[in-house]
């Protein structure tokens, strides 16, 4: 359960988000490794990050009634001229990686051509067993020196 943010805090979070923010499960070892992997391959800082357990994710969740109940996997938040969009499951991961440079991002952009109902069962299946295979973290990831400006609470 979470407490919805009201007033200036929720507005300030929305108004100060970069174009791409990846929300991740701060307790998940796989998510932590994914964030570390993405940071290493994103030196230009295309992606920003925030844990699902924090106030940034709470404010975003409160603005999106389409947010799936009990979601505890990666979510990509896109700030565009047409407003804020949230992407879930395999679409979130493929779009996040697809915004980087290189061959793997090209592959991810290509995989987006496969309809989400065909991709998502594989993503959700892995998400269901990730804690039993890789475990949970005791604390959320702390940014390394030089990364703090890319992380939101």
């Amino acid at each position: 359960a979470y407490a919805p943010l009201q007033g200036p805090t929720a507005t300030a979070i929305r108004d100060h988000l970069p174009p791409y923010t990846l929300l991740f499960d701060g307790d998940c070892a796989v998510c932590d490794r994914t964030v570390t992997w993405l940071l290493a391959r994103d030196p230009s800082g295309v992606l920003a990050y925030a844990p699902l357990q924090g106030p940034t994710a709470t404010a975003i969740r409160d603005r999106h009634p389409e947010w799936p109940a009990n979601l505890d996997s990666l979510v990509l938040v896109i700030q565009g001229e047409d407003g804020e969009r949230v992407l879930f499951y395999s679409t979130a991961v493929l779009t996040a990686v697809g915004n980087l440079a290189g061959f793997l991002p090209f592959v991810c952009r290509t995989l987006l051509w496969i309809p989400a109902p065909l991709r998502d069962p594989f993503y959700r299946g892995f998400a269901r067993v990730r804690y039993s295979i890789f475990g949970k973290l005791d604390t959320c990831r702390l940014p390394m020196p030089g990364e703090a400006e890319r992380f939101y609470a």
Side-chain angles (χ1 to χ4, degrees):
Y2 62 93
L5 292 176
Q6 301 290 325
T9 303
T11 303
I13 287 172
R14 179 180 56 237
D15 293 344
H16 293 95
L17 286 176
Y20 298 97
T21 304
L22 189 68
L23 307 179
F24 64 96
D25 180 355
D27 297 330
C28 172
V30 173
C31 295
D32 178 70
R33 290 181 190 139
T34 300
V35 168
T36 301
W37 185 89
L38 287 167
L39 282 163
R41 284 151 186 83
D42 182 20
S44 61
V46 170
L47 296 169
Y49 305 89
L52 284 169
Q53 295 83 354
T56 300
T58 299
I60 294 166
R61 184 174 35 233
D62 289 344
R63 293 192 298 269
H64 292 277
E66 73 275 20
W67 193 286
N70 302 317
L71 181 72
D72 65 351
S73 64
L74 298 175
V75 177
L76 183 63
V77 183
I78 301 173
Q79 303 293 334
E81 291 180 15
D82 57 345
E84 180 178 81
R85 292 186 312 137
V86 288
L87 304 177
F88 307 106
Y89 308 117
S90 65
T91 304
V93 174
L94 294 173
T95 303
V97 176
N99 276 292
L100 305 178
F103 181 71
L104 183 58
F106 169 76
V107 171
C108 289
R109 288 188 300 271
T110 303
L111 289 173
L112 283 167
W113 286 82
I114 299 170
L118 297 177
R119 294 187 321 256
D120 284 348
F122 296 100
Y123 181 89
R124 289 180 181 185
F126 177 76
R128 265 193 303 277
V129 299
R130 71 185 191 268
Y131 289 139
S132 61
I133 296 172
F134 298 99
K136 289 180 102 175
L137 300 176
D138 293 331
T139 59
C140 284
R141 179 190 202 289
L142 294 175
M144 301 296 285
E147 297 175 348
E149 64 278 357
R150 295 178 63 188
F151 281 81
Y152 292 81

